[in-house]
Amino acid sequence: MIIMSIGLKRGTVCLEKHQKAWEDSAEQTIAEIQNALDGIDADVQHVGSTSIKSIKAKPIIDIAVGVPDFESVSARNDKLKKVCIFPASWGFDDHPEELLYVKGDFEKDTRTHHIHVVLKTSKEWKNYLNFRDFLNATPSAAREYEAVKDKLEAMYPDNREKYTAGKSEIIAKLLEEAEKWREVTRLELCENTCGATRAGICENVRQDVRQFQGQDMRFGSTIVEVDETNVFDAARIHSVSWQESHRAFCKADFVALHTPERQREYLLGKLKNGYKLYMLLDAEPVGIVAVKESLIEDLYVLPEKQNKGYGSALLEFACTKCAGTPTLWILENNVNAARLYRRKGFTETGHKNVVTNGLDEIEFAKH
């Protein structure tokens, strides 16, 4: 069998290690779907095994599209066809919970993408997100799932129907665990940011709403601990955000040095030095923060995700992890960060460190 980076002949099974090309293809396809469904309140996300970075997967990209109704999507079939996205041959009467669309090389009977259109209020939508986020945040669960997939691939390389059926038991088990994990992680986030307790769960946990405390944080937002398995995601956030925040006053060649690869080594060094690193996920990694004793450092949110409440959630979460009075340092020219910290109860202590000529670093503490 010829192994391609993306695409697989129908009915066959071939697992490959995670590839960056899958993420790029998913991102491109998501943009195409969003354009075709412009005007529809659609949430389009990369799901399935190709979205779980630590495990092997069939090289077929799964995209989930959460929509308010199916009719508005079906009315856009002509627009979807223009970007080579076609309705699948199965009948909606057989699968009333989902509209399936596909991309691929139809002459070669190869499929590259499966697009699953489901209702936002459905269990199917939550399952897609819970499964992906749980396995990305729980390496042991991901390894358990991969082991079953490996065994089934060896048994049924030319019978995808039996391969898929063989996964049903482990998927059901992991979905049950994922639902419990989601409830716990969402409750912890609410406890740490709005004071909810396990005895009195706040409305944010009881309702599947898109906003969290009036902020534009979608259902599924969680904060996970960073370790060696997901540190590169954290490093990418650190790299992109650091470059953006320092571009105005640092030389271009110095900014360019702060690549994801370099920041990965930086963050691994912090882990070895006793820091705890945390990453906020909202479908994809959004922001990070580091904590050691009472010191908060490296609070970064991707530029395109700023001003949506993620920074506040990370800051308040980090404060709960501090052993004493939370403190942090920022560059004196970082006006936006200073405004956020003052709003969250931080004040300047008067302590300063000279970073470069004419630029100081100032300390804030929460009182």
Side-chain angles (χ1 to χ4, degrees):
M1 180 184 299
I2 298 176
I3 299 178
M4 298 170 286
S5 61
I6 300 177
L8 194 63
K9 182 177 175 62
R10 282 203 304 167
T12 64
V13 179
C14 181
L15 302 180
E16 300 181 28
K17 290 183 178 180
H18 185 85
Q19 301 176 33
K20 180 64 165 55
W22 296 346
E23 300 172 38
D24 296 338
S25 181
E27 184 176 347
Q28 177 181 342
T29 303
I30 286 171
E32 292 171 346
I33 295 170
Q34 288 172 332
N35 287 336
L37 301 184
D38 184 40
I40 298 174
D41 184 19
D43 192 349
V44 190
Q45 300 196 29
H46 184 195
V47 297
S49 291
T50 57
S51 69
I52 302 166
K53 298 184 178 182
S54 64
I55 68 173
K56 290 180 285 186
K58 300 189 307 296
I60 300 175
I61 311 301
D62 284 293
I63 304 293
V65 185
V67 296
D69 63 85
F70 292 122
E71 292 76 13
S72 58
V73 177
S74 297
R76 302 293 180 90
N77 280 356
D78 287 343
K79 288 189 174 183
L80 290 166
K81 289 177 182 178
K82 289 180 180 180
V83 289
C84 301
I85 296 174
F86 298 91
S89 57
W90 74 9
F92 184 66
D93 290 340
D94 297 327
H95 302 272
E97 76 284 355
E98 176 178 317
L99 292 177
L100 179 66
Y101 291 79
V102 295
K103 290 184 71 174
D105 187 332
F106 298 100
E107 290 185 359
K108 296 181 179 179
D109 202 22
T110 295
R111 300 294 181 266
T112 59
H113 300 71
H114 290 159
I115 295 97
H116 311 268
V117 181
V118 296
L119 299 179
K120 285 183 180 180
T121 56
S122 68
K123 185 175 182 178
E124 287 73 26
W125 174 248
K126 293 180 185 178
N127 283 346
Y128 280 126
L129 303 189
N130 284 350
F131 193 80
R132 176 200 61 199
D133 292 348
F134 175 58
L135 265 64
N136 272 324
T138 315
S140 60
R143 289 192 296 269
E144 182 182 5
Y145 183 50
E146 185 178 50
V148 173
K149 285 157 61 80
D150 283 337
K151 181 179 178 180
L152 291 169
E153 178 198 24
M155 294 171 62
Y156 307 117
D158 296 307
N159 193 328
R160 193 182 301 172
E161 185 175 348
K162 288 187 175 181
Y163 167 85
T164 301
K167 295 190 298 177
S168 59
E169 184 175 345
I170 184 65
I171 288 176
K173 172 182 177 291
L174 292 174
L175 278 174
E176 184 176 350
E177 294 177 7
E179 188 170 357
K180 294 176 181 177
W181 169 84
R182 176 71 76 193
E183 181 178 350
V184 170
T185 52
R186 292 180 69 207
L187 177 55
E188 287 176 347
L189 184 57
C190 284
E191 285 178 338
N192 291 322
T193 58
C194 63
T197 66
R198 294 182 189 276
I201 302 176
C202 71
E203 285 300 313
N204 295 315
V205 175
R206 287 198 292 264
Q207 298 177 2
D208 293 333
V209 294
R210 297 192 70 180
Q211 290 192 335
F212 178 79
Q213 275 197 292
Q215 302 161 352
D216 185 19
M217 291 176 63
R218 294 178 299 181
F219 164 76
S221 299
T222 56
I223 294 177
V224 300
E225 192 165 340
V226 175
D227 57 25
E228 291 186 359
T229 65
N230 59 0
V231 69
F232 192 78
D233 287 332
R236 186 181 69 85
I237 293 171
H238 196 289
S239 170
V240 172
S241 304
W242 191 98
Q243 289 186 3
E244 182 66 23
S245 63
H246 288 69
R247 200 181 310 278
F249 56 90
C250 291
K251 292 183 178 180
D253 55 351
F254 179 68
V255 171
L257 290 175
H258 292 73
T259 62
E261 291 75 17
R262 174 170 171 169
Q263 301 315 104
R264 176 181 182 275
E265 296 307 311
Y266 167 77
L267 294 179
L268 286 173
K270 295 192 83 87
L271 289 174
K272 292 178 180 178
N273 287 327
Y275 283 84
K276 291 286 188 179
L277 298 178
Y278 302 96
M279 180 162 55
L280 191 149
L281 309 176
D282 191 355
E284 299 292 340
V286 172
I288 60 169
V289 68
V291 180
K292 183 177 181 181
E293 298 177 354
S294 62
L295 180 62
I296 299 172
E297 293 186 341
D298 295 299
L299 199 168
Y300 287 105
V301 174
L302 290 172
E304 67 271 19
K305 298 294 185 179
Q306 292 175 8
N307 301 314
K308 296 184 177 182
Y310 297 117
S312 295
L314 278 168
L315 176 62
E316 293 174 5
F317 181 88
C319 287
T320 69
K321 299 299 180 181
C322 289
T325 300
T327 60
L328 50 83
W329 293 80
I330 66 169
L331 294 175
E332 61 181 349
N333 63 351
N334 195 341
V335 177
N336 290 334
R339 185 182 301 116
L340 168 65
Y341 299 143
R342 292 190 183 101
R343 192 169 67 245
K344 296 301 179 181
F346 284 78
T347 57
E348 296 179 40
T349 65
H351 299 150
K352 293 185 178 183
N353 287 326
V354 177
V355 178
T356 62
N357 291 333
L359 185 62
D360 290 340
E361 189 179 45
I362 56 178
E363 184 184 43
F364 280 73
K366 187 175 176 67
H367 296 290

